[in-house]
Amino acid sequence: MSAQQSYYVPAQSKWPIVASIGLCVTMLGMGSIMTNGSAGESTASSWVLFLIGATIMAYMLFGWFGHVIHESRTGMYSAQMDRSFRWGMMWFIFSEVMFFAAFFGALFYARVFAVPWLGGEGDKGSSAMLWPGFEATWPLLKNPDEGLFPGPTQVIDPWALPLLNTILLVSSSVTVTIAHKALKNNERYKLTLWLAITVLLGVAFLFFQAEEYIEAYEHFDLTLASGIYGTTFFMLTGFHGAHVTLGTLMLFIMLLRVRKGHFTKEQHFGFEAASWYWHFVDVVWLGLFVFVYIL
Amino acid sequence: MQSLCNRWVVSEYSLIAVLLTLVPSVSLAEYGLNMTPGITDVSQSIYDLHMTIFWICVAIGVVVFGVMFYAMFKYRKSKGAVPAQFHESTTVEIIWTIIPVVILIAMAIPATGTLKQIYDTSESDIDIKITGYQWKWQYEYINDGVGFFSNLSTPQDQIYNREEKGEHYLLEVDEPLVIPINKKVRFLVTANDVIHSWWVPALAVKKDAIPGFINESWAMAKEPGVYRGQCAELCGKDHGFMPIVVKAVTEPEYQSWLGAKQEKARLELAAANKVWSMEELMEKGEKVYNTMCAACHQQNGAGIPPAFPALKGSAIALGPVDKHIEMVVDGVSGTAMQAFGAQLSDVDLAAVITYERNAWGNNKGDLVLPKDIAAAKSK
Amino acid sequence: MSAVIENESTEHHHGPAKGIGRWLFTTNHKDIGSMYLWFSFIMFLTGGCMALMIRAELFQPGMQIINPEFFNQMTTLHGLIMVFGAVMPAFVGLANWLIPMMIGAPDMALPRMNNWSFWILPFAFAMLLSTLLMEGGAPNFGWTFYAPLSTTYAPPSVTFFIFGVHMMGISSIMGAINVIATIINLRAPGMTYMKMPLFVWTWFITAFLLIAVMPVLAGVVTMMLMDIHFGTSFFNAAGGGDPVLFQHVFWFFGHPEVYIMILPAFGVVSQIIPTFSRKPLFGYHSMVWATASIAGLSFIVWAHHMFTVGIPLVGELFFMYATMLIAVPTGVKVFNWVATMFKGSLSFETPMLFSVAFVILFTIGGFSGLMLAIAPADFQYHDTYFVVAHFHYVLVPGAIFGIFAAVYYWLPKWCGHMVNDTLGKVHFWLSFVGMNLAFFPMHFLGLAGMPRRIPDYALQFADFNQISSIGAFMFGFTQLLFLYIVISTIRQGKQATAGVWEGAEGLEWTIPSPAPYHTFSTPPEVK
Ligand code: HEA
Ligand code: HEA
Ligand code: CUA
Ligand SMILES: [Cu+2]
């Protein structure tokens, strides 16, 4: 289709306003859970608020995406619309990259500047005066104030579960590509199979990640509150885990749609968007594996 | 300057001052319009740098705005101007890219030199550790065993307009920092709670006080005198009320001041063993209370709930003594209530706690002695 | 394709829907643009009232009207509301109205998401303002919310502040994605990148900045949230973190943010000056490159806000040089504007007056910015009213005048009526005088040593503060006149022609005034 054709403009929609209300209620709920929780007050009503918000959000997501899928399947979208979706998804992923960049930045800063300074090295080394006995090491097992932030006894060995998880995630990137190829060749069975494998790999990753967290909390005293090592470790891997969860969910929905016979070999943007997201999650993991676990 | 200030009417003087922005800087400096040249080499080079870039900017402004105003008067449609149609010229574009670059390099060179000078904190004669607290400064002469707190000494009555404001309104403290002239004084700046910033314009020292870290800076004063500054980083409610006063004195004066300080510290130790009467404690306690506590809990003990609880009739002030002592000595972490144990002497603590338990109709009648504090601290 | 049109045509071949539903459910870029603009004006008045509260307290030494606690809340909310509530949404509103019309698109690329971007905002700001009623009061740690004042020592409402910021961030990111997708994908045939009007170009670049830095802001408030509620130690030295880390992450967002607030205004002025000079813009290509360089440089200058926090010398030098460099592309822009006026045929209708004032006063603000960039000098300027003077000069006669100019320039296109130029000029001159009276004396105050964010000050600062307060009230109340002008122009006024202004060029001037509800249902041909 050439751009010369007349433009497509969608009709009015109730979803944006539903989404705004849902988002606001969810955030109010989360905010008051945390505020009341930290103040030692009851959080029951806050949870109710949060759940109402989350329900509205879920309703909105199903409704909105359902509507778009319906429009797309009835052939209402032009090639131009398709391109708009693609650009939208790409820049959304870029914004996610920048979100992770902030946390990677925090990790580098702590390792290269803050911790050495506290330990007496570098330009602000005289800071060590305030922390007698503190030694700068990485991973940081003894924090400057051990009373406030008791450090971990041990950190995660990269060559055990993390290595396994790396293998899982990298192969899942391969399998999703195989599935994509299959879709383009119109091999539906192969598509279903490899997509299902991808989802399973994602689930397996999450399972082992949970194992690792349990081990960290129960055996290594490695927690969010165990100083800057635990802080950066859990924030980076945690947000990554959240993104894997989302990605897995997206792929799973694609699997359901494939089963329902959606997507053609020319038109399958939903599938592609999910797989782009999946590759992004994979690349972030490689960064994590190197900078959080190994180095 | 002060005598010219009329707080109620916009004086003609200041209107004229606004108009006179283009008269030479020297005269401006005298009227508190411009940066102070200060009393150190560094402050002077910063001042020169400031004036240089200022005049460069003025010059560029005159050229750019000059051309602009010329165009605005010359090429008016109402005067029948016919528009030219040129819209590009690589040559001019290159010229007006290069000229600013050259100007910038000319500014960057002296700036780099001054910056290097500022950063050279080596080979100091005296080291002073400065710690920012909400909302006061602590000074420790780390090699001489002298240390004290410096609080705002402007009475609340002046701040709340119940009393005529004094000459150094808001820029006066109970105990100034004293430094000798012609000695390189190194400041080790840190903070106890939130970020503060120690700034004395005349010394051209502005250094952020970061809790948990130490920043270094230095100054060598060349003229004796009293120099005033303020905390320059938002640090909560009383950020506007934590001034800095530095007294630069000659070396002999400095030595005698130091000696007196050391002597006072010895006396204070002795005072801790003295038996204090209720009147003495109440009198001393009121003083301590007004400088250390009144900013939050208010002079009348009513506080500003919920952030700053009342003491008048409060459960703490009327409850068991040891709880009260513990609260004052250890503070409440994560709130503005600090651990005063390290900031005040045992005598001051005893006095202020006694005061809190007996002032504003809190007639508990009990007496807290320095030794009670010492006992509580050692627990 | 025709099937497509039929499916949805019931809607968009007619005018707007009726009633409140038109605004709640709309996918029309003009409706959304208007909502953004009205929202932003309400926020401008709200933030302005807070500024007036500040100025009233600072009218004379001593505490008289509000207490220090509340003063800090006012400063914080004033900054936040002006930046995120007034300036940014105003520019998004202009983008919505103008970009599709300028590039020959029917609407924004993702119209439903567009509506979502807008509707998040009222909720986000309702959440932010509701903190005023919470126990412990509203955020009081400045719009830069430095840790640990904003974490360990913050009032409980900080959590809602954080979620409010998250919501604004989501809104901005989606808005920016929409702009980029629209510009890349919906340009009319023949509208090559180097033919795009400069307003479109500046917004294109602004959108990249937004997508790059809003997530970083989201990151930093998330770190705060974790430090406050979940025991992490990003900003706590006791656990190996550093309060200064907060500032690095914040300013990595914060500095590009200030260019987000000025680049679209550059675009606006670059449209207006050629029109009223009746001469094409001088140096179109270098304008585009200059804008891109400013945006690129903005990522490597952030620590100029932190010269006094104790950065190693090399860092200090690097950030000083990089910051100074920004003067070069900005200078190119200023020179190009002047060269456009040179040998033109000038007339001074209200939009032009605001644009000329923009160029002069923004440059003055730029000069003080350059002075701040000189690290050793910044040791004396930092956190004084000199900084306050600097950023109000780039923001008020910069961003705000840019917005005023845009509204005066395009309002006839939007509503079909000419603006009463006499009233517009009265608005301009009162604003101009009031604004300079309010902010020029702040330079002196800062140099003489008055720190910012203080509710009370020493006696030698009294005179200039008084002048400043008078100017602030004058400027503030003048804006009610602006409100009146806009409303009366929407209601009535001389019918505007399609071209509106004698020298105006661009696609938006080829369509009738007021612009029809759906502009281009088929793409126009651009030669
Ligand atoms: C729209 C917003 C905007 C804009 C455009 C700018 C533009 C600039 N700003 Fe500003 N700035 C702010 C908003 C903005 N700023 C805000 C909000 C703060 C305070 C934040 C806070 O702490 O709350 C701040 C603070 C701030 C600081 C920190 C001060 C401190 O806290 O100590 C510094 C320091 O370098 C700085 C520098 C600059 C520079 C160099 C520019 C340059 O881009 C200016 C370039 C322009 C010119 C130079 C003029 C035109 C050029 C010519 C005519 C060419 C020839 C000129 C020469 C060769 C000199 N700004
Ligand atoms: C775009 C941004 C923007 C804008 C437009 C403004 C506009 C104004 N600002 Fe600024 N300001 C900031 C951004 C901005 N500001 C920021 C970022 C800070 C730093 C905050 C911090 O330190 O954290 C700051 C801080 C700041 C301070 C320093 C506070 C301090 O350090 O303690 C002051 C002091 O005078 C001030 C004053 C003003 C004034 C008088 C205006 C005037 O232009 C306002 C004009 C007034 C109005 C527009 C009001 C109109 C309303 C009415 C007349 C009432 C009508 C009523 C109804 C209809 C209900 N501002
Ligand atoms: Cu201490 Cu501001
Ligand atoms: Cu900046």
Side-chain angles (χ1 to χ4, degrees), chain B residues 1-2 4-11 13-15 17-18 21 32-36 43 46 49-50 53-54 57 60-61 64-65 67-72 75-78 81-89 92-93 96-97 100-101 104 107-108 111-112 114-116 118-119 134 158-161 165-167 169-171 192-195 197 199-202 204 206-208 210-213 215 230-241 304 306-308 334-336, chain C residues 59-64 67-69 72 76 135-136 140-142 146-149 152-153 237 241-244 247 277-286 307-313 316-317 320-321 324-325 327-328 332 334-336 338-339 341-348 356 359-360 363-364 367 370-371 374-384 437 440-441 443-444 446-464 466-467 470 502:
Chain B
M1 174 74 208
Q2 259 77 30
L4 283 168
C5 284
N6 183 330
R7 282 184 277 116
W8 302 102
V9 194
V10 186
S11 66
Y13 153 74
S14 36
L15 273 178
V18 176
T21 48
L33 290 169
N34 200 353
M35 184 190 283
T36 167
S43 73
I46 290 181
L49 202 54
H50 159 69
I53 38 181
F54 171 69
C57 287
I60 299 174
V64 176
F65 303 149
V67 175
M68 210 167 153
F69 279 109
Y70 175 79
M72 276 158 51
Y75 306 115
R76 275 176 186 259
K77 181 167 184 252
S78 56
V82 184
Q85 285 306 320
F86 66 87
H87 57 85
E88 220 152 28
S89 161
V92 263
E93 299 263 7
W96 67 41
T97 309
V101 172
L104 291 172
M107 290 182 192
T112 305
T114 309
L115 199 61
K116 283 196 176 137
I118 294 174
Y119 263 73
Q134 281 179 326
Q158 285 189 16
I159 296 172
Y160 285 92
N161 309 312
K165 294 182 178 27
E167 191 193 351
Y169 176 66
L170 292 188
L171 295 181
N192 183 53
D193 32 50
V194 300
I195 302 179
S197 187
W199 179 36
V200 179
K206 184 183 280 147
K207 208 73 196 178
D208 288 6
I210 317 276
F213 289 82
N215 272 324
Q230 277 175 273
C231 175
E233 181 60 63
L234 178 62
C235 53
K237 174 171 85 64
D238 281 349
H239 160 62
F241 303 91
I304 316 173
F308 308 108
T335 70
Chain C
F59 185 68
Q60 41 173 293
M63 299 302 306
Q64 31 276 330
N67 60 34
E69 273 282 271
N72 288 346
T76 307
E135 200 176 300
N140 54 8
F141 27 65
Y146 283 3
L149 188 62
T152 322
Y153 294 85
D242 185 349
V244 173
Q247 299 181 25
S277 305
R278 296 169 182 79
K279 185 164 158 275
L281 182 73
F282 188 87
Y284 175 91
H285 286 84
S286 63
F307 282 142
T308 63
V309 299
I311 303 172
L313 180 61
E316 203 99 340
L317 287 172
M320 173 169 84
Y321 300 150
M324 292 170 77
L325 264 186
V328 176
V332 167
V334 171
F335 302 143
N336 281 339
V338 176
M341 289 164 69
F342 200 76
K343 295 206 167 166
S345 169
L346 279 65
S347 61
F348 295 92
V356 171
V359 175
I360 296 174
T363 302
I364 293 178
F367 286 153
L370 189 83
M371 295 172 76
I374 309 289
D378 185 65
F379 284 118
Q380 294 284 43
Y381 307 136
H382 176 68
D383 260 333
T384 66
L437 221 47
F440 206 79
H443 291 108
F444 303 132
L447 293 176
M450 178 166 161
R452 59 193 281 209
R453 295 166 166 168
I454 57 173
D456 193 8
Y457 48 83
L459 300 179
Q460 67 263 36
F461 306 129
D463 296 359
F464 286 132
Q466 220 155 55
I467 301 175
I470 291 169
E502 188 193 320

Side-chain angles (χ1 to χ4, degrees), chain A residues 1 3-21 23-24 27-32 34-35 38 57 60 64 67-68 71 74-85 87-89 91-92 94-96 98-99 101-103 105-107 109-110 113-115 117-118 123-124 131 134 140 143-146 148-149 224-229 231-232 235 239, chain C residues 1 4-5 7-8 11-12 17 21-27 104-107 109-113 115-116 119-120 123 127 156-157 159-160 163 166-167 170 173 177 180-181 184-189 208 211-213 215-216 218-220 222-223 225-234 236-242 244-245 248-249 252 309-310 312-313 517-518 520-525:
Chain A
M1 275 184 265
Q4 235 66 13
Q5 273 170 324
S6 65
Y7 289 120
Y8 169 74
V9 178
Q12 292 213 329
S13 162
K14 71 174 177 184
W15 298 117
I17 188 81
V18 173
S20 305
I21 295 170
L23 186 69
C24 186
M27 297 226 159
L28 270 179
M30 292 204 296
S32 68
M34 291 177 196
T35 315
S38 289
M57 287 305 274
M60 176 281 290
W64 194 335
H67 189 69
V68 171
E71 284 179 348
T74 43
M76 282 163 59
Y77 290 159
S78 59
Q80 190 168 46
M81 201 64 206
D82 191 62
R83 278 200 301 277
S84 288
F85 281 141
W87 284 114
M89 187 67 194
W91 289 104
F92 167 66
F94 177 68
S95 79
E96 293 267 47
M98 291 308 293
F99 183 74
F103 287 91
L107 173 65
Y109 183 85
F113 297 111
V115 171
W117 284 340
L118 290 168
D123 286 276
K124 296 218 270 187
W131 308 105
F134 172 68
L140 191 62
N143 293 312
D145 186 336
E146 273 289 300
L148 269 177
F149 293 97
L224 273 172
S226 62
I228 194 68
Y229 184 86
T231 296
T232 48
M235 290 307 284
F239 270 117
Chain C
M1 199 62 206
V4 174
I5 292 298
N7 253 308
E8 303 255 331
E11 301 281 344
H12 67 109
R22 166 175 177 188
W23 305 104
L24 290 181
F25 307 135
T26 187
T27 48
D107 205 299
L110 303 158
R112 292 190 195 115
M113 195 170 87
N115 192 31
W116 192 21
W119 275 107
I120 289 175
F123 291 99
M127 194 184 290
S157 62
T159 307
F160 294 96
F163 283 112
H166 270 308
M167 287 169 70
I170 293 171
I173 291 172
I177 289 177
I180 292 188
I184 295 183
N185 199 23
L186 262 59
R187 275 170 295 123
F208 284 114
I211 298 184
V213 301
V216 176
V220 79
T222 306
M223 293 178 204
L225 189 74
M226 299 304 289
D227 268 16
I228 295 170
H229 294 295
F230 300 99
T232 55
S233 50
F234 282 109
N236 193 337
D242 185 349
V244 173
L245 168 61
H248 282 290
V249 188
F252 184 84
V309 299
L313 180 61
Y517 194 58
H518 293 284
F520 299 104
S521 51
T522 51
E525 194 76 46

Side-chain angles (χ1 to χ4, degrees), chain A residues 11 62 74 99 218 235 260 282 285:
Chain A
F62 276 102
T74 43
F99 183 74
E218 296 197 337
M235 290 307 284
K260 279 173 83 178
D282 192 23
W285 174 261

Side-chain angles (χ1 to χ4, degrees), chain A residues 195-262:
Chain A
L195 189 53
I197 293 177
T198 312
V199 173
L200 284 180
L201 286 171
V203 172
F205 173 92
L206 286 170
F207 172 78
F208 288 121
Q209 191 72 6
E211 275 295 288
E212 185 179 301
Y213 277 13
I214 292 169
E215 190 176 4
Y217 262 80
E218 296 197 337
H219 302 294
F220 301 165
D221 288 330
L222 176 60
T223 69
L224 273 172
S226 62
I228 194 68
Y229 184 86
T231 296
T232 48
F233 175 83
F234 282 108
M235 290 307 284
L236 275 161
T237 56
F239 270 117
H240 177 261
H243 283 77
V244 177
T245 313
L246 188 64
T248 311
L249 221 63
M250 275 159 58
L251 289 174
F252 182 65
I253 290 170
M254 294 310 137
L255 185 61
L256 293 184
R257 288 185 62 190
V258 167
R259 302 275 300 157
K260 279 173 83 178
H262 290 192

Side-chain angles (χ1 to χ4, degrees), chain C residues 27 49 73 137 146 150 174 191 194 229 235 385 434 476 502:
Chain C
T27 48
C49 287
Q73 298 174 22
Y146 283 3
S150 64
M174 291 194 305
M191 174 68 77
M194 279 306 175
H229 294 295
F235 311 132
Y385 263 78
E502 188 193 320

